[in-house]
Amino acid sequence: NYLDIFFPNSTFDLQNQEYFLHTSNEIYPQKTTAVRANLTRVNYRQTLNNLPLLTSASSNSIVSFLFDNNQTLRSLEINAGFSQVSPTTPLKLLDFQSLVEMAATTALPISLDATFDITSLIQGQSVVTLNLDEIRLVYFNSPDSRQIFPVFLLQGTLTTTGATKIPASYLVPAYK
């Protein structure tokens, strides 16, 4: 098991598998079905206190392995993660009213679905509305920091001036 080889003291959960077809004519492989695929990416995530750890990676996985049909490892992608956690001073979580007030100015778009780039889709729009479906407490591992922060994950449907509707996810700091 490659996880045990590369990360001997860490625990990961299988997130999903993605299937790709790569031909010699293309630079990037195309997503496809398991039957047509000649490459399989296996994505893993980590949890902390039974809450998921999110990253800024497009697949939102902590570790991804890419295998060909002969089960040869073609690439390893490490986006974040931890092997040990050292708690700091306890943080006080925001109440719901504070979350509502902060979200308008501090919400950070995050692509949990690599198909959409939320930032480019809403640039230049005069009205953008997020119809909220779910709020979850999760952890976020910032790519430029060795720290893990509690955040609220806001998920729903984003509607723009032109009535374009897309799935959207935002992160808001969960502490004061």
Side-chain angles (χ1 to χ4, degrees), residues 55-111:
T55 70
S56 58
S58 62
S59 66
N60 204 24
S61 59
I62 302 298
V63 176
S64 296
F65 296 96
L66 184 68
F67 298 98
D68 65 18
N69 285 350
N70 297 321
Q71 297 183 351
T72 303
L73 180 63
R74 293 297 178 182
S75 74
L76 167 63
E77 183 178 350
I78 304 169
N79 299 306
F82 61 89
S83 58
Q84 292 181 341
V85 177
S86 301
T88 60
T89 307
L91 299 172
K92 184 176 179 185
L93 292 182
L94 293 177
D95 58 55
F96 184 74
Q97 184 57 40
S98 298
L99 169 62
V100 171
E101 292 168 5
M102 283 186 64
T105 57
T106 63
L108 170 72
I110 185 168
S111 294

Side-chain angles (χ1 to χ4, degrees), residues 20-166:
F20 299 92
L21 178 63
H22 184 263
T23 63
S24 59
N25 300 345
E26 300 168 349
I27 296 174
Y28 299 106
Q30 296 179 349
K31 273 195 166 186
T32 188
T33 63
V35 174
R36 295 190 61 222
N38 58 9
L39 296 171
T40 302
R41 182 167 57 201
V42 184
N43 299 310
Y44 291 91
R45 64 178 166 201
Q46 286 183 297
T47 58
L48 181 60
N49 298 331
N50 295 320
L51 297 173
L53 175 63
L54 301 182
T55 70
S56 58
S58 62
S59 66
N60 204 24
S61 59
I62 302 298
V63 176
S64 296
F65 296 96
L66 184 68
F67 298 98
D68 65 18
N69 285 350
N70 297 321
Q71 297 183 351
T72 303
L73 180 63
R74 293 297 178 182
S75 74
L76 167 63
E77 183 178 350
I78 304 169
N79 299 306
F82 61 89
S83 58
Q84 292 181 341
V85 177
S86 301
T88 60
T89 307
L91 299 172
K92 184 176 179 185
L93 292 182
L94 293 177
D95 58 55
F96 184 74
Q97 184 57 40
S98 298
L99 169 62
V100 171
E101 292 168 5
M102 283 186 64
T105 57
T106 63
L108 170 72
I110 185 168
S111 294
L112 295 183
D113 181 346
T115 320
F116 298 104
D117 177 12
I118 295 171
T119 306
S120 65
L121 289 171
I122 63 174
Q123 258 180 342
Q125 298 291 321
S126 58
V127 177
V128 177
T129 305
L130 176 63
N131 295 316
L132 201 56
D133 295 327
E134 183 178 20
I135 300 174
R136 291 190 313 160
L137 181 63
V138 301
Y139 286 98
F140 180 70
N141 194 174
S142 175
D144 53 354
S145 166
R146 294 184 60 163
Q147 297 182 350
I148 297 171
F149 301 98
V151 295
F152 288 112
L153 174 62
L154 311 177
Q155 293 182 290
T157 304
L158 198 68
T159 306
T160 64
T161 309
T164 303
K165 292 184 178 188
I166 57 169

